[in-house]
């Protein structure tokens, strides 16, 4: 039977939590149960009025997984295959991620199962605002703070902030992060996840003695995370030779002109048709003979069958949960170094934290300061994970889980039974 994303998330947690022997360290505290069950899940029907007078029924979700270390925090995804199991998995990974980079948040996630791209802008606004209205009191700057994820961005965050202001009668910019800069967003938030992925790649390359200048990369997914990762790699002199999106892929062995490709995608909405490369099959991207592979689309993209044929030395997980447990084992046997999602893509939530701090102080940082602080957080987290891996002779993924679980378990224990 096919495992759900939540089953996979639990499997990985148990696998890496076992050596920590939480039951011995905190006897009688049921920490394994507490840390693998969401605090609360909300699922609801949304009926959207379409422009043509008809209606569209979809389902909305918000899962608040854990707030032992701080308020719930996590993105909102609008995608046809969203369901409760997926949202639970993503919320689970969020609280581990905030713990890996040691920022004072817990973890949550939300979404709507809808083909969002097919809606008009007016329909999108009504749907986002209805979702927020239904959640009403569930979210707030000291309770649960949404952010962008697949198919959502600063436009949706502005709509959410607006509805929250109408419901609660006051301005609270910190209710969401990833807002437009004109209404309290942070400099550098849009590109932060990609920026963080590249900071991690720099650290890993140093450990692997890989010269990034002239190294080659392939990126799966050319949305927020994939395009910015490609952009920063390109700026550093890495040759990004192949990128894909849901519709197709382009390749140029001499290196794609990423700024030109970003301009093309802004116009056309897809990488296909880009003159600076040749089209090829989206699903062959993983087999390119590159140094660095960046999955930046959706979960379970790299299965064991795919992992078997991967030729990259380094995989940087821009997406959440892109590698199945079997593929994780296979890649490890092959000696491929994988920077795990809960570390690699934590740049987004880190700058979200900076945005929330700026909103609380109503004092705004320069882009240079955001970048500097982000680099400090990501490199410190990477080094802590790499040191833990060295100490325990384990993978970066196991080390990241060990650090995160130990931090959250300690917080949960100190707070007592809730
Ligand atoms: P996005 O909607 O901006 O982009 C997703 C991209 O993936 C699009 O280009 C889409 O066409 C492509 N895609 C989808 N299915 C594909 C497939 N089968 N093959 C190739 N490409 C495919 O989303 P995003 O915000 O960039 O998120 C991507 C991943 O990164 C998700 O796993 C998300 O949870 C994770 N993530 C996002 C952020 C953030 O700040 N946005 C932060 C951390 C993690």
């Amino acid at each position: 039977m096919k495992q759900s994303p939540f089953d996979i998330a639990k499997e990985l947690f148990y696998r890496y939590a076992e050596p920590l022997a939480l039951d011995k360290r905190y006897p009688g505290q049921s920490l394994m149960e507490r840390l693998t069950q969401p605090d609360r899940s909300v699922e609801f029907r949304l009926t959207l009025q379409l422009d043509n007078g008809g209606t569209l029924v979809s389902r909305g979700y918000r899962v608040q997984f854990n707030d032992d270390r701080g308020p719930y925090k996590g993105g909102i995804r609008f995608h046809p295959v969203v369901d409760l199991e997926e949202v639970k998995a993503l919320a689970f990974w969020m609280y581990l991620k905030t713990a890996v980079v040691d920022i004072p948040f817990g973890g949550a996630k939300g979404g709507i199962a809808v083909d969002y791209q097919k809606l008009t802008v007016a329909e999108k606004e009504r749907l986002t605002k209805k979702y927020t209205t239904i959640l009403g009191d569930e979210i707030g700057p000291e309770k649960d703070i949404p952010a962008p994820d697949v198919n959502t961005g600063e436009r949706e965050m502005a709509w959410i902030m607006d509805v929250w202001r109408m419901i609660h009668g006051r301005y609270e910019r910190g209710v969401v992060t990833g807002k437009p800069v004109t209404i309290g967003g942070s400099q550098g938030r849009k590109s932060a996840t990609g920026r963080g992925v590249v900071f991690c790649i720099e650290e890993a390359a140093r450990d692997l003695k890989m010269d990034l200048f002239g190294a080659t990369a392939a990126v799966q997914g050319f949305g927020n995370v994939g395009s910015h990762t490609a952009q920063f790699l390109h700026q550093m002199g890495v040759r990004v030779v192949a990128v894909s999106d849901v519709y197709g892929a382009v390749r140029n062995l001499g290196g794609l002109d990423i700024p030109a490709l970003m301009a093309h995608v802004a116009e056309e909405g897809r990488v296909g048709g880009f003159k600076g490369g040749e089209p090829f099959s989206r699903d062959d991207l993983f087999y390119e003979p590159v140094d660095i592979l960046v999955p930046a689309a959706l979960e379970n993209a790299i299965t064991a069958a795919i992992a078997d044929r991967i030729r990259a030395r380094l995989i940087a997980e821009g997406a959440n949960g892109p590698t199945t447990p079997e593929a994780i084992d296979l890649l490890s046997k092959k000696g491929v170094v994988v920077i795990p999602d809960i570390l690699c893509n934590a740049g987004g939530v880190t700058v979200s934290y900076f945005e929330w701090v700026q909103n609380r102080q109503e004092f705004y940082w320069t882009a240079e300061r955001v970048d500097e602080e982000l680099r400090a957080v990501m490199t410190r987290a990477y080094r802590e994970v790499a040191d833990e891996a060295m100490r325990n002779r384990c993978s970066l993924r196991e080390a990241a889980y060990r650090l995160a679980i130990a931090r959250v378990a300690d917080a949960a224990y100190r707070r007592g039974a809730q």
Side-chain angles (χ1 to χ4, degrees):
M1 204 180 77
K2 202 168 157 260
Q3 275 184 305
S4 77
F6 185 45
D7 289 336
I8 292 177
K10 279 191 290 193
E11 179 182 332
L12 293 177
F13 183 96
Y14 282 117
R15 188 194 275 197
Y16 302 130
E18 207 204 347
L20 296 177
L22 295 181
D23 291 342
K24 280 213 186 90
R25 202 140 132 205
Y26 305 103
Q29 298 302 307
S30 311
L31 279 176
M32 293 296 267
E33 286 92 322
R34 272 169 71 175
L35 299 183
T36 51
Q37 289 179 32
D39 291 351
R40 173 203 290 255
S41 305
V42 198
E43 175 178 349
F44 46 91
R45 174 180 52 77
L46 279 153
T47 306
L48 168 71
Q49 189 169 24
L50 299 169
D51 290 352
N52 67 11
T55 54
L56 178 80
V57 176
S58 55
R59 293 209 73 71
Y61 306 90
R62 185 76 184 162
V63 173
Q64 297 171 332
F65 210 107
N66 184 287
D67 72 346
D68 283 321
R69 297 180 60 265
Y72 300 108
K73 182 89 190 81
I76 294 181
R77 175 177 294 194
F78 293 165
H79 192 273
V81 305
V82 164
D83 64 16
L84 187 58
E85 292 297 291
E86 181 187 58
V87 180
K88 277 190 203 166
L90 293 165
F92 197 161
W93 289 322
M94 274 312 293
Y95 91 74
L96 294 169
K97 190 181 305 182
T98 52
V100 172
V101 284
D102 205 7
I103 57 175
F105 285 133
K109 205 82 181 192
I112 305 178
V114 65
D115 199 349
Y116 193 63
Q117 279 167 346
K118 292 235 169 83
L119 303 179
T120 65
V121 174
E123 289 165 347
K124 286 176 175 165
E125 179 172 350
R126 282 198 294 277
L127 185 69
T128 305
K129 290 194 166 179
K130 192 158 221 180
Y131 175 82
T132 314
T133 308
I134 291 172
L135 283 177
D137 282 332
E138 299 297 329
I139 60 171
E142 277 147 8
K143 191 171 187 181
D144 181 358
I145 307 135
D149 192 76
V150 174
N151 286 330
T152 60
E154 45 179 50
R155 176 180 63 184
E156 283 73 19
M157 298 307 115
W159 289 336
I160 294 172
M161 187 185 92
D162 184 60
V163 171
W164 201 91
R165 186 190 62 79
M166 283 195 270
I167 295 174
H168 296 270
R170 64 178 198 279
Y171 239 115
E172 281 284 3
R173 300 183 207 272
V175 63
V176 277
T177 57
K179 297 178 290 294
V181 170
T182 45
I183 55 170
S186 177
Q187 297 290 342
R189 171 62 185 88
K190 222 200 258 173
S191 56
T193 308
R195 181 68 97 190
V197 169
V198 173
F199 286 150
C200 287
I201 290 175
E202 279 185 274
E203 291 302 309
R206 186 166 310 138
D207 291 349
L208 287 168
K209 303 199 177 10
M210 181 196 287
D211 186 0
L212 285 178
F213 191 82
T216 52
V219 180
Q220 183 217 21
F222 204 69
N224 178 303
V225 180
S227 67
H228 288 109
T229 301
Q231 183 191 19
F232 294 127
L233 287 174
H234 177 78
Q235 281 170 8
M236 288 169 57
V238 174
R239 262 190 302 141
V240 181
V241 296
V243 305
S244 63
D245 63 17
V246 71
Y247 310 107
V250 284
R251 178 168 54 188
N252 181 336
L253 297 184
L256 292 157
D257 178 346
I258 299 297
L261 180 57
M262 286 173 92
H264 168 85
V265 172
E267 281 282 305
E268 305 293 331
R270 59 184 65 198
V271 300
F274 180 58
K275 297 277 184 295
E278 48 157 1
F280 77 116
S281 155
R282 163 191 105 171
D283 297 326
D284 287 342
L285 177 122
F286 290 121
Y287 313 132
E288 288 295 298
V290 287
D291 299 304
I292 306 161
L293 185 62
V294 183
L298 297 174
E299 299 91 70
N300 298 337
I302 303 179
T303 58
I306 291 173
D308 200 32
R309 294 176 55 196
I310 281 179
R311 293 149 82 181
R313 283 169 73 193
L314 176 65
I315 298 181
E317 292 186 338
N320 287 306
T323 316
T324 65
E326 297 73 37
I328 289 173
D329 294 339
L330 217 148
L331 290 169
S332 150
K333 264 196 218 121
K334 283 173 65 165
V336 179
V337 173
V338 182
I339 312 171
D341 50 2
I342 58 171
L343 167 66
C344 193
N345 69 38
V349 74
T350 301
V351 176
S352 275
Y353 166 54
F354 298 161
E355 180 173 331
W356 181 79
V357 167
Q358 291 169 73
N359 292 154
R360 288 171 86 81
Q361 300 183 335
E362 289 294 1
F363 178 76
Y364 291 87
W365 304 357
T366 60
E368 291 72 29
R369 177 166 177 200
V370 170
D371 224 45
E372 215 174 278
E373 304 265 3
L374 176 62
R375 183 187 275 279
V377 170
M378 293 305 296
T379 47
R380 188 206 61 221
Y382 189 95
R383 297 287 22 128
E384 283 177 354
V385 169
D387 290 351
E388 179 78 4
M390 190 82 88
R391 257 196 310 278
N392 295 287
R393 292 171 195 278
C394 68
S395 65
L396 293 174
R397 191 184 311 275
E398 176 163 357
Y401 271 79
R402 290 176 71 102
L403 286 176
I405 295 168
R407 285 174 184 158
V408 185
D410 181 73
Y413 170 69
R414 287 169 193 275
R415 285 181 52 167
Q418 301 143 40

